[in-house]
Amino acid sequence: MTSAELITELQATRPAADGVLRDRVRAIAATESVRRPSPFARLSRYSPRRFALVVLPATAVVLLAVAGIAGLLDSGSQPGGIEAINSDFSSRSPAVPGSAATTAQGKIAPNLEKGVAAADTAVPAPTSGRAERYSAQLTLSVNDIDALSAATQQALRITRDLGGYLVTASYATTDSGTSSLTLKVPTANVQQAIVRLSGLGKIVAQQVQIYDLQGQVDELTKRENALRLQIIRLSARLATTDLDAETRATLEVRRAAASSALAQVRGASAQVNAEARFATIALMMQTTQSSAAVPVPSRFDNAFGRAVEILAVEAMVVLYALVIVGPLALLALLGWLTRRALRRHQDAQLLSAQ
Amino acid sequence: MHTATLTRPLTYTAPPLTFAEAAERHLDDVFGYLLYLTRDRATADDLTGATFEKALRQWSRFDPRRGTARTWLLGIARTTALDSFRADSRRRKREEAAAEPEAREADFVEGLSPALQTALATLSVGEREVLALRIVIELDGDQTARVLGISPTAVSTRLSRALHKLEEKVRNDDLR
């Protein structure tokens, strides 16, 4: 018998299931409609490999999307340090509406729109009726060189308006610019001056020092009065005729010394009073470029940076999970491979049997 | 404007096969395959029932894009048979280590010549299954390879060897 004949015979006698088996299988199949399909039926159709092919890229996309969206949401705010400084001072940024705003450049004006009431409380006022040495240092940032020039001119105008004067001025511009002014303003108007000058830009730093001079003034006044009285007494004695020449000479020397001392005390007193009458304001203005030591990153830079940070965190979490789960997964894989190999070996043995 | 619509090739998507349809259509294939594997009608009957029960439970996993229902059912039949063989083997080892394998029916396929029946009995299970799949059920090489989990070349080699062995056995029986 040839192979062809064998094949023909095998095919001709193809086995068929009998009626009993057919009915049994039909009965099994009839329960198909009764069975409720599992909600995960569609998922179970995919092999682990196909599932991984979809799930892994999808997970990566989700992680990237989370990082991107979180980065974009977080980028709305400025970087912490700079914002903290700006918001801190901008909240105290004082201004006098309707005064400097009317003459200053447009870029400066918005800062002057803020109310003066809050600013008044922010700037310490000189004590009324007491002599004080009042000095203030004010550092402002303005947008650009044009704004710096306008703000400088405006500062001089404010000083003059309030009865003050300019002591020193330094103005320099290259790519960026700085303007340093030392101003003397009547102490009575210093609070208003600071408020108005602060409105010329964004406050970067502000410092006020008050030193009480009243004790000095009182002491000088007392001494002046005493000297004046002494001079009057000496003059009265010198006006009498019964003085001998030696006594007269001594009294005249003493009166001259008292007059000289009085002149000194008057000078000192005038100096202290002048100090108390005018406050010193050191105004430093700089353009944003020069004042910003750290450039303010753009919204895109912020978003990108934040996204990278989040991605790094995600990568750390994944790495951590891999380190923890990895060995267990490897053991499970080895176990599964061993079991499969054993099963295949068993199958081969079973299939080789007759 | 309408030409494009008219010349567009018509596509026909066959409605999805129900389990009942697949069972009805491929019952004989599954049974025949299992009969050749077991050489026992009763065992083949039981395994066929078990195969379709298992197949019904897994029907939601069947993906027609990955293969036909026939190869899918035959794959389940094979796993079911091997599990049964494995269980039998363990049972025999446990109960009576030296016991002979259970006797099989001498004429397990109706209408087959006694010489061929005898010759088939001398083949291994692996050789009989490749004969069943390629010759009796008439799967092609790729489908058989898919069911057996081996390459089409291995299928071809195994079939050739089985046929050669079968031919030799039958010839020897004829000479006797």
Side-chain angles (χ1 to χ4, degrees), chain B:
Chain B
M1 294 294 280
H2 296 287
T3 315
T5 311
L6 291 171
T7 55
R8 187 182 295 162
L10 293 170
T11 54
Y12 171 74
T13 308
L17 194 68
T18 65
F19 179 76
E21 288 168 345
E24 191 71 42
R25 203 175 289 175
H26 304 302
L27 171 61
D28 287 342
D29 295 335
V30 172
F31 173 72
Y33 168 67
L34 289 170
L35 183 60
Y36 267 82
L37 233 62
T38 59
R39 287 193 296 123
D40 185 81
R41 291 193 78 89
T43 310
D45 272 0
D46 289 346
L47 288 177
T48 303
T51 297
F52 280 100
E53 279 173 4
K54 196 190 276 186
L56 178 61
R57 285 197 299 274
Q58 298 180 2
W59 182 244
S60 60
R61 294 188 202 171
F62 169 62
D63 185 356
R65 290 169 299 185
R66 299 177 66 197
T68 62
R70 185 158 74 149
T71 53
W72 184 74
L73 285 168
L74 288 168
I76 293 175
R78 185 172 193 263
T79 311
T80 308
L82 286 173
D83 286 344
S84 169
F85 292 164
R86 204 175 287 114
D88 281 350
S89 170
R90 277 201 297 267
R91 184 171 51 78
R92 276 204 301 274
K93 275 182 188 169
R94 197 169 53 241
E95 290 175 356
E96 36 190 340
E100 287 293 314
E102 287 168 18
R104 303 290 181 187
E105 291 176 32
D107 53 344
F108 63 96
V109 180
E110 284 177 20
L112 212 57
S113 65
L116 196 49
Q117 296 262 19
T118 311
L120 280 169
T122 62
L123 297 183
S124 70
V125 177
E127 289 163 339
R128 276 203 307 277
E129 77 167 343
V130 80
L131 274 178
L133 293 172
R134 284 291 282 120
I135 308 295
V136 182
I137 300 172
E138 296 180 74
L139 292 185
D140 62 25
D142 288 340
Q143 289 175 325
T144 307
R146 189 182 287 271
V147 173
L148 300 181
I150 56 176
S151 69
T153 313
V155 169
S156 180
T157 308
R158 198 179 287 184
L159 175 65
S160 172
R161 195 166 54 229
L163 278 173
H164 180 72
K165 204 170 166 182
L166 198 63
E167 197 179 349
E168 210 168 74
K169 287 282 176 192
V170 171
R171 195 184 303 127
N172 288 344
D173 279 357
D174 287 345
L175 288 174
R176 239 181 265 160

Side-chain angles (χ1 to χ4, degrees), chain A residues 11 20 24 26 86 108 112 144 147 201 259 262 278 283 319 352:
Chain A
Q11 287 176 341
V20 177
R24 196 173 138 207
R26 279 176 185 157
N86 288 346
I108 302 168
L112 303 178
D144 51 31
S259 297
L262 179 63
F278 280 89
L283 177 65
L319 195 65
S352 64

Side-chain angles (χ1 to χ4, degrees), chain A residues 44-93:
Chain A
S44 64
R45 208 177 264 193
Y46 301 105
S47 67
R49 195 183 302 170
R50 292 181 76 188
F51 199 71
L53 275 174
V54 175
V55 168
L56 289 179
T59 308
V61 167
V62 167
L63 290 176
L64 279 171
V66 165
I69 290 167
L72 274 173
L73 290 176
D74 283 4
S75 68
S77 56
Q78 297 282 326
I82 292 170
E83 184 184 48
I85 291 166
N86 288 346
S87 62
D88 182 30
F89 283 105
S90 60
S91 65
R92 295 193 280 126
S93 182

Side-chain angles (χ1 to χ4, degrees), chain A residues 207-226:
Chain A
Q207 194 178 4
V208 172
Q209 291 142 352
I210 301 172
Y211 182 80
D212 187 55
L213 298 173
Q214 193 58 46
Q216 252 182 295
V217 170
D218 291 346
E219 184 61 33
L220 286 170
T221 307
K222 199 173 162 185
R223 192 144 178 242
E224 186 183 338
N225 290 336

